[in-house]
Amino acid sequence: MIRCNKCDVEMLTASINTTYPVSLPVMLVNREKGLFATEHKSELLCYVCPECGHIELYAKDPQKLKEDSKKTL
Ligand SMILES: [Zn+2]
């Protein structure tokens, strides 16, 4: 559970989607250098304060963004 650091109320979870042409979730992408580069992706977790509208973003799977995740997992 995450609390707004301004209002000290529990923040709601939300998703950040594109609206055009269709609704798609936004991804974090860490792209390796090189021609056949691997893209490491993670979904976003979004928390929004119902009082003031403050938004905090987190990577859902931050480990997936590491460039050596294939070797370690
Ligand atoms: Zn707030």
Side-chain angles (χ1 to χ4, degrees), residues 40 45 48 52 57:
H40 304 282
L45 280 176
V48 56
C52 71
L57 292 176

Side-chain angles (χ1 to χ4, degrees), residues 4 6-7 9 49 51-54:
C4 178
K6 296 175 184 174
C7 313
V9 297
C49 172
E51 296 294 327
C52 71
H54 175 70

Side-chain angles (χ1 to χ4, degrees), residues 17-25:
N17 291 8
T18 60
T19 55
Y20 181 84
V22 291
S23 182
L24 293 170

